Amino acid sequence: MSTNDSEEDRTARPPARLLPAVAVFAGTLLSLVGWSWDIQWHTDVGPDTFFTMPHLFLYAGSALCGITALVVVLRTTSAQRAGRHVDPTVGGRSVRVFGGRFTAPVAYLVTGTAAAAFLFYGLWDQWWHGLYGFDATLNSPPHVGLLLGNVATIIGAAMAFTALRAERWGRIGVFASFGVLVAFLPIPADVFQQVEGPVDWGAVCLACLTALLLLLATAFFRRPGSALLVAVSVAVVQGVLWLFTPWATVLYADAVGLPMREVVSPAPIMPTWIPMSVVAAALVVEAVLALARARHWSSRVVAVLGGAFAAAVLAALVPLQRALLFDVPLPPFTEVLLYLAPGCVAALAFGALAGVVAWRFGLVLRLLDQPSAAAHGSRTTTSGATA
Amino acid sequence: MKRALTTVLSVAALLLLSASPSWAYEPVTIVHTERVEAGPYGITVGFGRWPIRAMQSLDFTFTPDGGREGKSGVVEASLPDGVAGEQWPLARHPRKPEVWGLDIQALGGDGQWTFRFTVDGPDGRGVGELAGVTVLAQPGPPLALSWSVAGIPLLALFGFLVVAWRRVRVPREQLTAV
């Protein structure tokens, strides 16, 4: 196919655009379900091996993402070498990697690298368990590496869908993958619970990253309601995990003949970590956006105010949610306020910063479906994406 | 194609067979025991590893004389300076249901740990301690090194975002418009 082909010919057929993005998204869902199930398993049942069903879910999820990314990169490289047009809606603009030996759409480059990192940390985790045993410690260094690999994979899935924003299922995919990302964030953010001091850094981290994603969606779609749709997507993911996780844990324990512990968690563990206050934070973002439109404020004001206040709302409500759902008795009101205040102040500052970063990257993502020099069949381009 | 599929399946089967010990739930093997008198209740405390090292998980069993029927309570493990400690209900061991226990549990730091038992039963409440349980330093590389390796994806992601920020030019009017 030459570069003079019509626009219709230059665009990959729908299955070629749809399938890789959906496959990567399915992989991220498998991993999310696997983590939620595994955490519940350790708490409510206990005995562990490398080949438990939850482990297979989370490893299969990353494998699906990695294989999909590899196939897309190889196809893109092949097309580029043959001088054929590379459709930028398949994973966004392409970049040259390994000195130009491969041409990779940036979304699948992120996904593939993340899946490879996951594999590396999986092997390290095996070694770690050989040395330390199969203790159910979520916050071990290899586990955190695995979780960060998963986070990057979900980011790759979201990028793959953002490149398809011109199509309805592409936009749906963006909301769905943002929902999965927000739902996943509490697991890696839990590592900050180990940090001592007056600030609940776990809650602040979760609050700021969630606010960042709400602002990112708003900047990307540039229309009211985007943050709210992300919140709806989070609620759907949370609802599904809430129902699935305890059910699958009991079913699997019965299937392998293991009893439930005498003392089990009062609520599904990982689903209760997902903030229910995302809706409130999204309403804050929507209100700031509406105010800015009515009064002709700059988007920078939306980014700073939206990020700061959305993060502060989340930082205040996340610890309360955990206390209520896990039947932790609350101290007097003033003590609750004194506990929450430092976290809210930190969230205001870091949330404002997150908002600025989010707005910029929301606009960057809008340019992802623009072709790059690397994708034009030219062999003279040396590296990198171009503006 | 058929040959390639056969090769892949053979390799997968070999991998699974070689990994077969990982399929099985390990039995609880006690290699060391200690005695505690918690008031009227005698308890035999079993350890799945001995000596114990910090962060290295092991099985603990708590076997009350006369069985655990009709009894309940908690066990609290702590270091003298209070920097580490945890409390668990005395509950059935998941892989040795006839006794109380903790499965694959690690103690966070090295030092002289104390296990304090509070047992409620037909003879009322009894409290007893097993003090001076030596936990050696953690095995393996220093934690700072391990955490540094764990943080590599975060640094890579941050680097990627910096590159994207610098390379992609967003039109100025888009940066300010709502």
Side-chain angles (χ1 to χ4, degrees):
Chain A
M1 190 182 294
S2 76
T3 51
N4 294 327
D5 292 335
S6 69
E7 191 59 36
E8 196 173 324
D9 292 335
R10 289 158 60 94
T11 307
R13 281 174 295 179
R17 300 198 303 271
L18 173 68
L19 273 177
V22 170
V24 169
F25 177 68
T28 62
L29 273 182
L30 277 176
S31 293
L32 176 71
V33 168
W35 278 108
S36 179
W37 191 357
D38 194 45
I39 292 167
Q40 196 75 32
W41 176 264
H42 282 292
T43 308
D44 287 356
V45 185
D48 198 25
T49 72
F50 186 72
F51 288 104
T52 62
M53 194 61 82
H55 286 178
L56 293 180
F57 261 61
L58 57 95
Y59 281 106
S62 271
L64 181 59
C65 293
I67 291 167
T68 305
L70 183 66
V71 169
V72 173
V73 170
L74 291 178
R75 281 174 62 100
T76 309
T77 303
S78 166
Q80 188 274 333
R81 286 187 180 178
R84 294 197 302 273
H85 174 76
V86 175
D87 183 359
T89 62
V90 181
R93 55 178 60 188
S94 295
V95 294
R96 302 289 187 88
V97 286
F98 294 132
R101 286 185 180 83
F102 295 96
T103 305
V106 69
Y108 293 101
L109 178 63
V110 171
T111 303
T113 308
F118 187 92
L119 181 65
F120 164 76
Y121 284 107
L123 293 172
W124 187 28
D125 192 44
Q126 265 297 80
W127 176 83
W128 188 273
H129 283 310
L131 185 62
Y132 290 103
F134 267 90
D135 185 18
T137 302
L138 181 63
N139 295 321
S140 71
H143 285 176
V144 170
L146 286 168
L147 290 164
L148 291 174
N150 275 140
V151 167
T153 314
I154 305 171
I155 291 172
M159 289 171 70
F161 282 121
T162 57
L164 290 157
R165 70 186 163 96
E167 305 198 36
R168 174 181 285 186
W169 51 262
R171 295 190 291 276
I172 292 171
V174 174
F175 288 120
S177 50
F178 274 35
V180 169
L181 189 50
V182 173
F184 194 88
L185 286 174
I187 315 178
D190 189 62
V191 74
F192 290 103
Q193 299 290 352
Q194 296 179 30
V195 182
E196 292 180 5
V199 176
D200 183 344
W201 286 110
V204 171
C205 174
L206 184 58
C208 291
L209 290 175
T210 304
L212 185 147
L213 287 166
L214 294 176
L215 264 298
L216 193 69
T218 305
F220 175 74
F221 286 108
R222 299 182 72 89
R223 62 175 63 167
S226 304
L228 266 179
L229 281 172
V230 172
V232 169
S233 173
V234 175
V236 170
V237 174
Q238 186 174 31
V240 170
L241 287 178
W242 198 288
L243 295 172
F244 175 84
T245 306
W247 171 79
T249 304
V250 172
L251 187 75
Y252 184 45
D254 284 345
V256 296
L258 284 171
M260 301 294 284
R261 288 186 194 273
E262 285 183 325
V263 181
V264 296
S265 169
I269 299 165
M270 188 261 171
T272 57
W273 293 352
I274 302 170
M276 293 171 168
S277 43
V278 182
V279 175
L283 284 172
V284 168
V285 173
E286 297 293 349
V288 171
L289 182 67
L291 208 60
R293 289 195 163 193
R295 303 195 174 185
H296 306 291
W297 290 347
S298 159
S299 64
R300 291 198 175 100
V301 178
V302 179
V304 170
L305 293 183
F309 289 119
V313 166
L314 285 159
L317 295 178
V318 162
L320 289 177
Q321 174 185 325
R322 290 190 184 186
L324 291 173
L325 291 174
F326 284 104
D327 298 332
V328 179
L330 287 175
F333 184 66
T334 48
E335 283 186 37
V336 173
L337 280 184
L338 285 174
Y339 174 82
L340 294 176
C344 289
V345 172
L348 278 170
F350 287 107
L353 183 66
V356 173
V357 172
W359 202 269
R360 171 73 179 233
F361 279 107
L363 299 176
V364 168
L365 285 175
R366 289 177 68 84
L367 301 172
L368 206 61
D369 59 354
Q370 306 298 312
S372 66
H376 281 186
S378 163
R379 293 175 192 223
T380 55
T381 308
T382 51
S383 68
T386 54
Chain B
M1 182 65 188
K2 197 172 176 182
R3 183 181 289 178
L5 191 65
T6 309
T7 308
V8 168
L9 288 176
S10 304
V11 170
L14 275 174
L15 278 174
L16 287 178
L17 283 174
S18 64
S20 58
S22 305
W23 284 94
Y25 297 108
E26 284 186 24
V28 178
T29 308
I30 298 303
V31 298
H32 180 82
T33 59
E34 298 278 352
R35 283 287 295 177
V36 178
E37 298 302 327
Y41 312 106
I43 302 172
T44 302
V45 182
F47 300 88
R49 288 183 200 251
W50 196 267
I52 305 172
R53 287 183 175 276
M55 293 173 58
Q56 201 170 44
S57 57
L58 65 150
D59 283 303
F60 294 88
T61 58
F62 312 120
T63 312
D65 296 345
R68 65 187 189 90
E69 289 303 318
K71 302 181 187 104
S72 63
V74 293
V75 55
E76 185 182 359
S78 60
L79 279 168
D81 54 9
V83 291
E86 208 168 340
Q87 181 177 293
W88 304 272
L90 286 168
R92 179 182 64 205
H93 191 292
R95 285 173 291 123
K96 199 173 173 63
E98 65 273 21
V99 298
W100 289 323
L102 304 171
D103 63 316
I104 53 169
Q105 184 67 49
L107 299 173
D110 56 316
Q112 299 290 311
W113 283 75
T114 297
F115 289 80
R116 182 183 171 86
F117 293 86
T118 305
V119 180
D120 292 307
D123 299 325
R125 171 165 289 192
V127 178
E129 282 188 356
L130 173 61
V133 176
T134 304
V135 176
L136 306 175
Q138 62 148 117
L143 267 185
L145 177 65
S146 298
W147 281 116
S148 301
V149 176
I152 289 172
L154 201 59
L155 288 177
L157 195 61
F158 186 71
F160 172 76
L161 293 178
V162 169
V163 170
W165 183 292
R166 288 170 60 92
R167 286 203 179 186
V168 182
R169 300 267 181 270
V170 178
R172 189 170 177 79
E173 65 276 10
Q174 282 195 23
L175 276 172
T176 52
V178 283

